[in-house]
Amino acid sequence: MNAEHTNFDLLYNPRLTVKEFPQIVERWQRDSEKARAALDGYLDVPYGADATEKLDVFRSRGASRGLLMFVHGGYWRGFDKKDFSFVATAFCEAGITVAMPNYALCPAVQVRDIVMQMVQAGAWLYRNGGNFGAPAGRLHVCGHSAGGHLAAMLLACLWPVYARDLPKKVVRAALSVSGVYDLRDIVKAPSINGDVRLTERSALQASPAFLPPATDAPLYTAVGEEEDEGFHIQNRIIAQRWKSVHRGDIPCPGDNHFTVLDRLAAPGSPLFQAVLRMMES
């Protein structure tokens, strides 16, 4: 492996740099099992015809103030929605309805296919969120890592082109945590791209950094202070490229690529509070 590829792997693959990654994931899974047992939820609700096109919806405690679509990470090649149910607990307690979609994983599909699955899930939630007690027209998106990329892609979506019954602004605002926005760097990271199989062309086509925001819906970003430098680079890229809609970056001191997600799930954290403020706008 040449030095250039080694460098990009270390820039972008946090599994190589966060030694406690297995223990963190085990804790997420334990907490998520407890969350599913405790929350008022509907599991594996189909949003499309494919077996992977299902989502979990967790009802808010009391009247719902809005609908939050949480898109999980895993570099488009790993994890399942059920690994992240723990994220919903504090939001549901705060009066937010939370939906967590699954998507097909690379290498069985390509990134562009996953993007379209998330468009399909977003459209489904916009149309059907009221069936779960969520107020109409109050769909917001939050994503982590690859999910952060997908959240940004939803702000670039031309919704009326996708379906004529949809308005221009299906998503009112989005928070991308540790997202990737210029996917050309992932092509240079073989420990990731061996599964993801991006080319220079397909990476460019699926990069939010090279697409205009479709509306004035705001984008908020966050990255952990201790994350690999690649995620800081990406954070700066989208803040500059999308400066017309970029409304703020939430500091996450002391966090790495995985512990930053714990901040999102903690009701006292600035990251959690930022989501509530975003959803009130």
Side-chain angles (χ1 to χ4, degrees):
M1 185 180 298
N2 64 41
E4 180 189 20
H5 282 168
T6 302
N7 181 47
F8 278 92
D9 277 328
L10 292 177
L11 279 177
Y12 286 105
N13 191 345
R15 296 190 187 192
L16 301 178
T17 56
V18 180
K19 293 181 180 179
E20 63 271 27
F21 165 73
Q23 292 76 30
I24 292 172
V25 173
E26 287 176 7
R27 173 169 51 78
W28 287 352
Q29 292 171 337
R30 288 195 305 271
D31 290 346
S32 291
E33 187 174 356
K34 294 176 183 175
R36 288 193 300 277
L39 293 172
D40 182 6
Y42 303 83
L43 305 181
D44 294 322
V45 179
Y47 68 84
D50 190 82
T52 62
E53 294 171 350
K54 294 179 181 177
L55 50 80
D56 297 340
V57 184
F58 300 102
R59 294 182 71 110
S60 65
R61 185 176 295 276
S64 178
R65 299 157 53 187
L67 175 58
L68 181 65
M69 173 178 168
F70 176 79
V71 187
H72 74 77
Y75 265 131
W76 312 282
R77 63 177 180 172
F79 291 125
D80 184 277
K81 59 181 170 53
K82 70 177 184 291
D83 298 320
F84 299 92
S85 306
F86 75 95
V87 173
T89 301
F91 286 109
C92 292
E93 290 287 341
I96 303 297
T97 306
V98 181
M100 296 189 170
N102 252 1
Y103 48 83
L105 300 176
C106 300
V109 297
Q110 298 185 39
V111 171
R112 66 181 182 223
D113 301 317
I114 299 172
V115 171
M116 292 312 301
Q117 284 186 310
M118 292 302 92
V119 168
Q120 188 173 0
W124 191 94
L125 286 168
Y126 180 85
R127 296 174 179 132
N128 296 285
N131 295 331
F132 304 92
R138 299 290 300 170
L139 176 63
H140 295 73
V141 178
C142 177
H144 172 243
S145 194
H149 158 264
L150 294 165
M153 289 296 284
L154 293 188
L155 290 190
C157 180
L158 301 174
W159 294 98
V161 175
Y162 172 73
R164 285 182 291 178
D165 67 307
L166 296 175
K168 289 183 179 180
K169 192 185 291 187
V170 165
V171 177
R172 293 179 64 92
L175 168 65
S176 177
V177 181
S178 310
V180 182
Y181 313 101
D182 180 352
L183 274 56
R184 294 177 302 172
D185 275 4
I186 304 305
V187 178
K188 304 169 188 174
S191 69
I192 302 166
N193 205 42
D195 289 327
V196 178
R197 299 180 302 160
L198 287 165
T199 64
E200 285 287 330
R201 181 177 180 181
S202 65
L204 189 63
Q205 291 172 336
S207 292
F210 300 101
L211 295 170
T215 72
D216 62 355
L219 172 70
Y220 300 84
T221 55
V223 64
E225 179 186 29
E226 302 299 326
E227 295 210 40
D228 301 335
E229 180 58 24
F231 295 98
H232 292 275
I233 292 170
Q234 294 287 326
N235 214 42
R236 292 191 292 269
I237 287 172
I238 200 64
Q240 175 61 32
R241 294 279 185 148
W242 280 29
K243 58 185 176 183
S244 64
V245 299
H246 187 248
R247 291 293 178 267
D249 188 69
I250 298 94
C252 299
D255 283 311
N256 63 43
H257 188 74
F258 304 108
T259 61
V260 71
L261 193 57
D262 297 324
R263 281 331 125 240
L264 181 67
S269 75
L271 197 53
F272 178 87
Q273 294 297 324
V275 176
L276 296 188
R277 288 195 301 273
M278 175 183 78
M279 297 190 69
E280 289 168 356
S281 61

